[in-house]
Amino acid sequence: MSVVVGWSLVVLAVLVVAGLVGYAWRLWREVQRREVARREELERAHRNCLESLEAIATAMLGDQVDLVEGALRCKVLLDIIDPALLEREDFKVFAEVYRRTEHLHTHSSRQDLSAKQRFAEDRERIALQEERYTALHEAAQKVLVLKSEWPAGLQ
């Protein structure tokens, strides 16, 4: 092998390595950009969930919404933010209400029921609401506390 061919191969190898380093650098920057975008999206989702939780909890405390319905919505939103929140004593009532009502019909499937069946399910919801009224109001109040404290260190 001549010296010219040897140096040509060395230059070619350096160019290939430099190209690979450049490509790796570009990929690394893209990963970083996507990670920042993912964090921002998660923060936005949490913010939206917290705002919805605040509105629902306020409506629950003002008896402007059915407490069972409010509890179900709070359960879903807390689950989106962090499923571990439902394990807190303050919010266990939401999970309990969900467990006790998950067999009940909703939306269009409710319309397929007879009037007697709908009435029976309504009585069951009302009984649960009356039974857990105080606990649901306390949990709604704790939701407002969670929302007010969220930026302070619960992220």
Side-chain angles (χ1 to χ4, degrees):
M1 172 170 6
S2 72
V3 174
V4 172
V5 172
W7 280 110
S8 296
L9 289 176
V10 167
V11 168
L12 181 63
V14 168
L15 289 174
V16 168
V17 169
L20 289 174
V21 166
Y23 184 64
W25 174 259
R26 190 171 135 219
L27 288 176
W28 180 80
R29 283 190 7 223
E30 179 63 18
V31 166
Q32 296 303 313
R33 185 192 66 75
R34 287 185 184 190
E35 181 61 25
V36 167
R38 187 194 65 76
R39 273 195 311 272
E40 288 172 353
E41 177 64 23
L42 185 61
E43 288 172 11
R44 187 183 65 73
H46 283 176
R47 206 171 31 255
N48 289 343
C49 286
L50 288 166
E51 288 171 7
S52 294
L53 277 167
E54 180 181 34
I56 293 167
T58 301
M60 287 174 71
L61 291 171
D63 290 324
Q64 299 168 340
V65 66
D66 178 79
L67 292 181
V68 171
E69 179 67 25
L72 296 175
R73 291 175 186 266
C74 285
K75 185 256 183 218
V76 169
L77 291 168
L78 289 169
D79 204 21
I80 290 170
I81 293 172
D82 183 1
L85 289 171
L86 291 168
E87 296 172 13
R88 288 187 184 182
E89 197 60 39
D90 296 336
F91 304 130
K92 282 186 177 182
V93 69
F94 296 143
E96 174 195 347
V97 167
Y98 175 78
R99 277 191 307 277
R100 291 179 60 184
T101 60
E102 65 185 334
H103 68 283
L104 299 176
H105 295 83
T106 60
H107 303 78
S108 61
S109 66
R110 181 172 162 77
Q111 293 176 1
D112 295 338
L113 298 175
S114 70
K116 185 176 183 177
Q117 291 170 318
R118 276 196 305 274
F119 183 70
E121 287 193 359
D122 289 344
R123 277 195 324 238
E124 192 174 340
R125 283 185 184 94
I126 291 168
L128 178 58
Q129 178 173 312
E130 289 173 354
E131 174 188 335
R132 303 302 288 155
Y133 183 87
T134 303
L136 287 168
H137 270 255
E138 290 171 358
Q141 188 63 48
K142 296 296 183 178
V143 164
L144 296 178
V145 171
L146 173 75
K147 201 270 183 188
S148 68
E149 292 178 350
W150 186 264
L154 295 176
Q155 289 181 346

